[in-house]
């Protein structure tokens, strides 16, 4: 697909369609696994409690895993599950040679110690890329799994031919799930963006954002990014999710920003679907690390 084929917003910005790219990548993964003789590769998820959006996210991950030709195993525990019960569930998945990737859906109920639970996931099965060892490998440039949401952002940037070399990128939000690894991925050799990490205490946030050729919002504050935060022609990527009376909304005021931006993600349908595509790709990479033969086609 050439840049001229990309779908555009009413005012001419490229619409960075995550649903479409996810489906393309899941289809490619399915073809690759079929060619490899359909090896049994298993993604296991752990869902604790009955948070409705988490339930929706996990069921979507399973649906897409099956579409890609993966085996998908869902473990559910009640919201009052004890630390010991959750730890023993994760330990048994960690030991199970049939399981190649483990994802513990976050946030966990408040009485649980998330760090202690994540620490039980072996780095090669940490397809979410969230454990200390995975993040340490990312910092040190060693082989491992990068967190799926910032990885999905990189896939969108690549697919939509967004120039990164020498570009100025601003990441708003410093979470370990998105903001911090996003900074590392954008600054990697070969990508070569010059990255600023902004957050809730950044002074003159709008001015800092306006310096960006690539602006990534990952705060979880509805409508934080307005037109005055955007340099004309910039790429604007919305990772934020917050709950409002209108349902789930992003950090970017899409209608106000779209006339200024050169490219923009919709919400929903932008970065969320790409998180899932990258989770499945990480799971196949995890299986390869664990000795399953899946040639790159
Ligand atoms: N909750 C929201 N996004 C994510 C994610 O990417 N991984 C996990 N484990 N939990 C999440």
């Amino acid at each position: 697909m050439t840049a001229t084929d990309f779908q555009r917003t009413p005012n001419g910005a490229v619409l960075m369609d995550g649903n479409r790219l996810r489906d393309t990548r899941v289809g490619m993964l399915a073809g690759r696994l079929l060619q490899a003789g359909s090896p049994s590769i298993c993604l296991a998820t752990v869902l604790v409690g009955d948070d409705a959006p988490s339930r929706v996210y996990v069921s979507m991950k399973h649906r897409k895993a099956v579409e890609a030709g993966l085996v998908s195993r869902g473990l559910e525990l009640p919201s009052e599950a004890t630390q010991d019960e959750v730890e023993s569930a994760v330990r048994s998945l960690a030991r199970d040679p049939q399981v190649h990737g483990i994802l513990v859906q976050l946030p966990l109920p408040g009485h649980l110690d998330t760090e202690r639970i994540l620490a039980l996931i072996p780095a090669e099965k940490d397809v979410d890329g969230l454990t200390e060892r995975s993040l340490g490998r990312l910092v040190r440039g060693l082989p491992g799994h990068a967190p799926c949401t910032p990885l999905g952002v990189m896939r969108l940037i690549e697919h939509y031919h967004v120039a990164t070399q020498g570009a100025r990128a601003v990441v708003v939000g410093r979470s370990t799930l998105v903001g911090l690894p996003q900074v590392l991925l954008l600054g990697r050799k070969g990508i070569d963006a010059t990255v600023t990490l902004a957050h809730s205490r950044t002074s003159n946030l709008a001015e800092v954002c306006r310096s960006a050729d690539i602006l990534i919002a990952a705060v979880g504050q509805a409508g934080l990014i307005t037109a005055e935060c955007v340099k004309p022609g910039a790429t604007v990527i919305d990772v934020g999710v917050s709950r409002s009376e209108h349902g789930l909304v992003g950090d970017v005021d899409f209608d106000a920003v779209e006339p200024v931006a050169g490219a923009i993600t919709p919400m929903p349908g932008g970065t969320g679907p790409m998180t899932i595509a990258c989770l499945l790709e990480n799971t196949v990479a995890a299986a390869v690390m664990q000795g399953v033969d899946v040639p790159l086609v």
Side-chain angles (χ1 to χ4, degrees), residues 249-266:
V249 290
D251 286 352
V252 176
D253 180 344
F254 183 92
D255 292 338
V257 166
E258 166 269 305
V260 187
I264 187 167
T265 54

Side-chain angles (χ1 to χ4, degrees), residues 90-167:
V90 174
R91 262 197 208 95
S92 81
L93 295 173
R95 271 196 308 266
D96 187 339
Q98 307 294 323
V99 170
H100 301 93
I102 303 171
L103 175 141
V104 176
Q105 185 67 24
L106 302 177
L108 289 169
H111 66 281
L112 295 172
D113 183 336
T114 300
E115 291 303 325
R116 267 176 48 206
I117 291 164
L118 291 181
L120 297 170
I121 305 174
E124 64 279 8
K125 293 193 181 187
D126 177 24
V127 288
D128 229 6
L130 295 184
T131 62
E132 275 178 32
R133 268 195 295 163
S134 295
L135 289 168
R137 287 179 183 199
L138 186 64
V139 170
R140 297 191 62 83
L142 299 171
H145 304 298
C148 304
T149 300
L151 196 57
V153 168
M154 299 311 294
R155 299 281 185 262
L156 281 168
I157 285 175
E158 185 188 357
H159 178 76
Y160 284 98
H161 308 313
V162 176
T164 55
Q165 297 209 339

Side-chain angles (χ1 to χ4, degrees), residues 16 23 37 126 141 188 197 211 214 240 245 254 262 284 289:
M16 302 173 87
D23 289 345
D126 177 24
R188 269 188 168 174
L197 178 60
S211 70
I214 302 169
E245 71 257 34
F254 183 92
V284 174
M289 281 180 202

